[in-house]
Amino acid sequence: MRQLILDLLPADPPSFDNFVTGSNAEALTGLAAWLAPTNRESVFFVWGEAGAGKTHLLQACPAAYCDARLDPQLSALALAQDVYAVDHLEALVDGGQIVLFNLINRLRGGGGRLLAAADEPPSRLTLREDLRTRLGSGLVYRLHPLSDAEKLAALAEQARTRGLVLPPEAFSYLFSRAPRDMRNLAALLLAIDRYSLEHKRPITLPLLREVLQTSLNI
């Protein structure tokens, strides 16, 4: 499943409604409060391992989004916004760190906000000290990846919402053969739904095998 299914990714953009909370309810509640108009805290920082949902949340927010892995200098950061979301801070180079430091100072003075994400908390990032201090002075939450049981429950709920009837063994079959992050699992469920409708066939294990094989050949 190395290339799973760029053409079949979920059509819905990231939102708070389609974020699977799992054990991250506290972080979600904190983020909702931070986004409220009455909030005066300028920085909200989320960290956690790959697949925990950091990028989903940043892209779900009404903010100017920038991914430091793609733009480590933050050269494309729009500087006329009030709310920013900067992802993968661990990838920032020296120039990008200066841009972010200056941005935080400007937002503090003007009432703007920064939502930031990285794979480690501010204190453990390899960034300039004054930037780490700024990032750590705001609200800091860890995002935890979903357990396998939570992923199965979320996948079953998505199937129920779509009106899909899957054989009892379908989820364990998919889990043993597909990437286990929710983005790819949701994409795979969408592919199964489309394939079943296009071929006018019920969802069975043979059909699942065909969908997986098709995905491998994309």
Side-chain angles (χ1 to χ4, degrees):
M1 304 296 289
R2 292 185 301 275
Q3 311 216 359
L4 184 74
I5 322 177
L6 295 179
D7 292 336
L8 296 173
L9 289 174
D12 296 333
S15 71
F16 294 118
D17 289 337
N18 59 27
F19 182 81
V20 182
T21 303
S23 57
N24 295 307
E26 182 180 356
L28 266 289
T29 299
L31 180 56
W34 182 78
L35 288 169
T38 54
N39 169 62
R40 293 295 178 264
E41 182 65 64
S42 57
V43 177
F44 192 101
F45 190 100
V46 292
W47 67 279
E49 63 190 82
K54 304 184 297 294
T55 296
H56 185 118
L57 287 183
L58 266 63
Q59 293 180 343
C61 285
Y65 176 82
C66 185
D67 186 343
R69 289 190 305 188
L70 303 177
D71 183 11
Q73 297 275 6
L74 299 186
S75 57
L77 197 65
L79 296 180
Q81 305 295 320
D82 294 323
V83 185
Y84 295 82
V86 181
D87 208 352
H88 301 111
L89 296 192
E90 66 277 0
L92 288 174
V93 297
D94 290 346
Q97 294 179 45
I98 293 171
V99 170
L100 189 61
F101 179 80
N102 291 335
L103 175 65
I104 293 173
N105 288 339
R106 180 174 69 80
L107 295 176
R108 279 180 163 184
R113 307 184 205 183
L114 170 68
L115 174 59
D119 58 6
E120 297 282 357
S123 61
R124 297 210 297 262
L125 288 173
T126 307
L127 301 174
R128 46 188 283 176
E129 178 61 26
D130 53 2
L131 177 56
R132 291 196 294 115
T133 300
R134 292 287 194 280
L135 293 168
S137 67
L139 301 171
V140 179
Y141 286 89
R142 180 178 183 179
L143 288 184
H144 300 274
L146 298 176
S147 67
D148 283 353
E150 289 169 336
K151 291 175 186 176
L152 280 171
L155 203 61
E157 176 60 21
Q158 290 184 18
R160 186 196 65 77
T161 300
R162 287 185 173 277
L164 300 182
V165 179
L166 278 70
E169 63 274 23
F171 295 113
S172 58
Y173 178 85
L174 294 176
F175 251 51
S176 67
R177 291 162 174 80
R180 293 190 178 187
D181 63 281
M182 280 305 302
R183 184 169 183 263
N184 275 325
L185 287 171
L188 186 54
L189 193 66
L190 178 59
I192 291 166
D193 188 13
R194 290 178 176 175
Y195 194 90
S196 173
L197 290 173
E198 289 171 0
H199 293 267
K200 297 181 174 60
R201 291 169 51 191
I203 299 174
T204 60
L205 286 185
L207 183 137
L208 296 183
R209 293 189 189 99
E210 292 176 26
V211 174
L212 289 172
Q213 186 59 46
T214 300
S215 303
L216 281 167
N217 292 333
I218 289 176

